[in-house]
Amino acid sequence: MINRNISLNRGSYKQPNIFGYYGNFGGAYVPEMLYRNVEELRDQYLRIIYEDSFQQEFKALLKDYVGRPSPLYHAKRLSEHYRTKIYLKREDLNHTGAHKINNAIGQVLLALRLGKKRIIAETGAGQHGVATATICALKGIECVVYMGSKDIERQAPNVARMKMLGAEVVPATSGSQTLKDATNEAIRDWINHPDNTHYVIGSVVGPHPYPDMVARFQSVISEETRAQLKEQEGRELPTKVIACVGGGSNAAGAFYHFLDEESVELIAVEAAGLGVYSGHSAATTRLGKTGVLHGSKSLVMQTEDGQVIEPHSISAGMDYPGIGPLHAHLFESGRARFLSATDQQALDAAFELTRLEGIIPALESAHALAALKEIRFNPKDITVLCLSGRGDKDLDAFMKAFEVQPKNSYEQDQSVI
Amino acid sequence: MSRISQLFKKKKERILNIYFTAGFPELDSTLTLMKLLQENGADMIELGMPYSDPLADGPVIQSSGSRALCNGMTIAKLFEQLKDFRKEIDLPVVLMGYMNPILQFGFEKFCATCAVAGIDGLILPDLPEHEYELEYEAILKKYGLDFIFLVTPETSDARIRRLDAFSNGFLYAVSSSSITGKDKDFEEVDKYLSRLRSMNLKNPVLVGFGIKDRLSFQSACRHAAGAIIGTAFIRALENSASLKESVKGFMDAVLK
Ligand SMILES: Cc1ncc(COP(=O)(O)O)c(C=O)c1O
């Protein structure tokens, strides 16, 4: 019999209940074929990741290999533009160019301690695939990355990087041939290799304990932010924290140590694609309904018949039809505010940051930047914006945007699509 | 006693359960195939409800599902097709599918509609037993539906007993911890099935996944009450010029 008191404990923002629920969202909706793998992780992850030897190795790699702590940079010209004080948390300066490496390192170290000999991962834009292939190269462990065959075409440079790093890139040819299908294929691979393989999920999605585990590995972002604010501002708490949400891992990391600080306003920004109601969008909290996707109950974009919809965003990392259960809970409870930015708004925001600060952001992060226009700031506010990645991988999209709009038009006309 | 339990009471061995995807190969082939299976010696039918993201299925079944979805299959449509099927079909029929479409339809409404139509049980591989016990068991009982859990060679004895206790009708033994459609090593399967048999479970066991012909069917039947064939049957329908002949040909090859 289940102890109902335990199972009905609703979990907190920082810690799901023992069945993996944050409020109404989470759980582990996995077929029996995955039960043992998921159970092993669930039973071991907290013990392993808080062992001294794990923490030492993890922290050393984050410092010397990734280059952490990432700077908390006071973006003065951007701040002036919005008449407030904005700090950028520079995850773009991490090795491999995004926050994804924090989680990839954590999970691969964990997998090695579980005795696993083979790593699999899914990837959309390729950032998580590159991060995973990187740490696998460093550790000399086999790495297989599933990637939608459409994304393989769209993201050629990252495919080349993964191959150069020694990973096998397997095209996902089923369904819509993008991130969600790559995730399905990775899960199937895991079902077929139950003994020697660990699946490194790239965001705070998937069955319990993945959302919690990934959030913990990414929580280094807000842990550093607190310390850096203390040093730079003499206070640990900002007024606002802004982050983009694809699956939600950089946002979970940027929010984590502020989740229980009610004075801190948390703002999550989703991709609205061509417009929330255009039929080409990835704004899950606006369009999604409660459902089950990739092993957890969360908000899912789906048809009336419960078939999962292929979302759209100019940014492959935002192109996911769900969000992590923590974020569904933050949305439902009102603890975080959810905004969205269109493809065009993200492009404009990317150009704006580039011209004001000399920083080319990833298109994903540009969604968070685009939200600055939607938010009312007090000049005294201190806002931390998670700059989750750099824009090198998005030059194609930026160049196309240059072609359709002459230089500087982004400043004059925000409505062109 | 449920239709499924009656079957196992009447027939103790060589039970053949055939899986196919509703709405495949054509939107309206569902009932035709059920009748053909009944005429050609199937003991039970497992009707798959197509889903965009079928994690526990292999590529053959997934592509049959994609085709069914393209054909316009939905849960509502399926229930329309099943409205009067009990006038023609006596075999036990279980529906197999994934949680998401059912949650959208409404779990209780789904069960109620199943009961009215004459569906006997459900297989929902991504419904974990914790949620089952907490939220869904009572609803299934209310509508008299059997619920069938899966077990694998990696499932511990204690957990097998637990899942057996929750299951009604039969227990679904996946022949390896593997998605549907892959070839299996008979010897390993043998060992696993004899272990299940020695446990004296409450439910009869049907072996699924990887059964494709007479030989693998017979092998599965050595230690279990019978088997479930899915992928191989879907393959036989994929390029079928006549469903009637394809079904007869397939069933004869397995049974005769
Ligand atoms: C730079 C960057 N930011 C954000 C994301 C979105 O993922 P998440 O919401 O998990 O942070 C991605 C995903 O690929 C990414 O590469």
Side-chain angles (χ1 to χ4, degrees):
Chain A
M1 267 317 276
I2 291 169
N3 179 333
R4 270 159 209 275
N5 289 331
I6 294 176
S7 61
L8 294 175
N9 161 348
R10 292 171 51 82
S12 68
Y13 293 120
K14 271 192 179 168
Q15 167 95 58
N17 76 12
I18 61 164
F19 295 102
Y21 277 87
Y22 301 89
N24 295 319
F25 303 106
Y29 290 78
V30 293
E32 186 61 23
M33 295 84 91
L34 277 180
Y35 182 83
R36 205 182 52 160
N37 281 4
V38 171
E39 179 190 41
E40 179 185 32
L41 264 187
R42 188 195 67 201
D43 291 348
Q44 308 273 2
Y45 80 112
L46 287 176
R47 181 181 63 74
I48 292 177
I49 69 181
Y50 292 106
E51 272 170 6
D52 288 346
S53 73
F54 182 97
Q55 283 293 320
Q56 274 163 17
E57 188 177 3
F58 185 48
K59 286 189 174 147
L61 282 173
L62 289 182
K63 175 166 171 284
D64 303 324
Y65 189 70
V66 176
R68 303 203 72 94
S70 66
L72 185 70
Y73 164 70
H74 177 201
K76 293 197 190 63
R77 293 190 68 208
L78 188 71
S79 297
E80 263 166 41
H81 188 79
Y82 289 100
R83 296 194 177 79
T84 186
K85 190 162 195 180
I86 300 171
Y87 282 94
L88 301 177
K89 183 60 176 160
R90 298 290 307 273
E91 295 299 301
D92 61 315
L93 294 177
N94 292 343
H95 180 41
T96 70
H99 67 293
K100 297 280 179 188
I101 190 92
N102 305 327
N103 166 52
I105 291 180
Q107 284 201 50
V108 170
L109 294 186
L110 175 71
L112 290 170
R113 279 162 174 79
L114 289 171
K116 306 288 178 182
K117 304 274 184 272
R118 182 171 172 272
I119 295 296
I120 57 173
E122 86 295 337
T123 198
Q127 288 304 108
H128 173 60
V130 167
T132 306
T134 296
I135 178 70
C136 286
L138 179 69
K139 287 290 170 184
I141 181 172
E142 183 186 348
C143 178
V144 178
V145 180
Y146 287 88
M147 188 168 185
S149 38
K150 278 194 194 145
D151 290 333
I152 287 182
E153 273 169 40
R154 289 194 287 195
Q155 311 285 336
N158 272 343
V159 175
R161 287 165 87 195
M162 287 185 272
K163 288 188 173 159
M164 184 163 173
L165 287 159
E168 184 190 346
V169 180
V170 181
T173 54
S174 64
S176 50
Q177 305 173 12
T178 57
L179 179 56
K180 105 181 153 62
D181 308 284
T183 308
N184 292 339
E185 294 298 330
I187 292 174
R188 287 200 181 115
D189 177 310
W190 206 24
I191 288 175
N192 282 326
H193 300 90
D195 292 322
N196 66 349
T197 297
H198 174 74
Y199 175 23
V200 178
I201 294 187
S203 192
V204 285
V205 301
H208 177 61
Y210 277 101
D212 183 46
M213 179 169 69
V214 176
R216 284 170 197 264
F217 288 142
Q218 292 293 0
S219 70
V220 64
I221 299 173
S222 48
E223 187 184 326
E224 288 173 3
T225 303
R226 279 186 86 125
Q228 289 164 321
L229 275 178
K230 174 99 184 156
E231 201 180 300
Q232 291 167 235
E233 287 289 335
R235 55 187 262 198
E236 283 185 36
L237 301 184
T239 321
K240 296 177 169 65
V241 181
I242 307 175
C244 68
V245 174
S249 66
N250 87 88
F255 294 169
Y256 196 83
H257 290 284
F258 303 115
L259 286 167
D260 296 333
E261 306 284 358
E262 276 171 30
S263 70
V264 180
E265 189 184 355
L266 305 176
I267 299 169
V269 189
E270 296 180 302
L274 300 181
V276 171
Y277 300 108
S278 65
H280 303 275
S281 167
T284 305
T285 59
R286 302 282 291 279
L287 301 169
K289 287 173 284 184
T290 297
V292 172
L293 178 65
H294 297 142
S296 60
K297 193 188 250 190
S298 189
L299 294 170
V300 179
M301 290 172 58
Q302 51 188 303
T303 65
E304 274 181 22
D305 315 310
Q307 307 296 337
V308 180
I309 286 176
E310 188 53 32
H312 164 86
S313 166
I314 189 171
S315 141
M318 304 287 278
D319 213 347
Y320 186 70
I323 47 168
L326 164 63
H327 293 291
H329 183 45
L330 290 172
F331 174 72
E332 194 181 68
S333 67
R335 173 66 187 94
R337 208 171 128 198
F338 280 72
L339 302 175
S340 62
T342 63
D343 290 352
Q344 188 60 44
Q345 288 167 330
L347 280 168
D348 293 339
F351 281 104
E352 182 178 273
L353 184 74
T354 306
R355 297 301 169 83
L356 288 175
E357 298 285 349
I359 296 171
I360 300 179
L363 266 173
E364 290 82 5
S365 323
H367 287 76
L369 291 161
L372 293 171
K373 290 199 173 17
E374 310 287 313
I375 297 167
R376 222 186 284 155
F377 292 102
N378 188 311
K380 290 209 188 98
D381 284 355
I382 293 177
T383 295
V384 173
L385 186 145
C386 185
L387 201 70
S388 55
R390 68 177 85 127
D392 309 27
K393 68 183 176 61
D394 297 314
L395 281 179
D396 254 6
F398 293 142
M399 271 162 11
K400 277 198 195 109
F402 265 133
E403 278 162 27
V404 295
Q405 46 178 329
K407 208 172 132 212
N408 280 344
S409 73
Y410 66 92
E411 280 165 0
Q412 290 139 23
D413 184 357
Q414 304 285 337
S415 64
V416 196
I417 292 205
Chain B
M1 196 190 292
S2 80
R3 212 177 266 111
I4 299 175
S5 298
Q6 278 169 26
L7 166 68
F8 284 100
K9 199 169 167 222
K10 205 169 66 202
K11 186 170 174 187
K12 301 254 186 282
E13 56 185 10
R14 289 177 58 80
I15 302 253
L16 180 56
N17 180 356
I18 299 282
Y19 169 97
F20 72 95
T21 306
F24 172 86
E26 307 300 332
L27 180 60
D28 57 5
S29 32
T30 316
L31 207 58
T32 313
L33 281 169
M34 290 170 98
K35 281 190 262 182
L36 288 170
L37 286 169
Q38 176 163 279
E39 285 161 19
N40 286 283
D43 298 302
M44 195 189 303
I45 291 169
E46 182 181 330
L47 195 50
M49 297 176 286
Y51 179 46
S52 55
D53 296 80
L55 285 184
D57 289 305
V60 174
I61 291 181
Q62 172 161 22
S63 84
S64 72
S66 305
R67 184 145 145 207
L69 291 174
C70 277
N71 289 343
M73 184 47 82
T74 63
I75 290 180
K77 187 93 213 161
L78 177 61
F79 280 133
E80 242 170 69
Q81 296 181 348
L82 293 178
K83 220 168 128 226
D84 294 318
F85 87 103
R86 278 296 167 209
K87 289 185 183 150
E88 294 171 286
I89 307 289
D90 305 320
L91 301 185
V93 176
V94 296
L95 293 185
M96 184 273 186
Y98 293 83
M99 280 303 279
N100 195 59
I102 297 177
L103 289 177
Q104 282 318 301
F105 191 86
F107 196 89
E108 176 147 10
K109 180 175 151 206
F110 179 82
C111 293
T113 318
C114 280
V116 171
I119 293 295
D120 303 297
L122 296 182
I123 301 173
L124 305 175
D126 63 347
L127 175 57
E129 98 279 10
H130 159 64
E131 322 288 341
Y132 173 82
E133 187 183 10
L134 204 64
E135 264 189 62
Y136 301 107
E137 185 177 21
I139 301 174
L140 286 151
K141 292 251 151 82
K142 175 170 165 193
Y143 293 99
L145 295 170
D146 286 342
F147 192 84
I148 293 113
F149 277 97
L150 274 58
V151 298
T152 80
E154 282 82 25
T155 310
S156 69
D157 282 5
R159 187 170 162 77
I160 290 174
R161 293 213 180 278
R162 194 173 149 74
L163 296 175
D164 179 48
F166 281 139
S167 298
N168 287 300
F170 65 96
L171 193 64
Y172 194 142
V174 181
S175 63
S176 157
S177 192
S178 162
I179 48 177
T180 52
K182 295 194 58 184
D183 286 343
K184 292 293 161 285
D185 183 18
F186 287 161
E187 232 174 82
E188 239 178 74
V189 174
D190 251 22
K191 245 176 37 199
Y192 159 52
L193 294 179
S194 51
R195 182 183 130 217
L196 283 179
R197 189 164 66 170
S198 70
M199 290 180 73
N200 287 318
L201 299 171
K202 176 186 100 180
N203 290 291
V205 170
L206 291 187
V207 183
F209 296 44
I211 313 295
K212 59 177 181 190
D213 51 19
R214 194 177 147 78
L215 192 64
S216 45
F217 178 55
Q218 283 180 341
S219 159
C221 289
R222 277 211 296 277
H223 294 294
I228 303 164
I229 300 183
T231 298
F233 183 66
I234 297 285
R235 275 217 178 92
L237 301 180
E238 263 170 358
N239 298 306
S240 163
S242 147
L243 289 181
K244 192 167 172 191
E245 266 151 47
S246 301
V247 174
K248 182 165 177 6
F250 185 87
M251 294 296 286
D252 286 354
V254 173
L255 290 173
K256 293 203 171 138

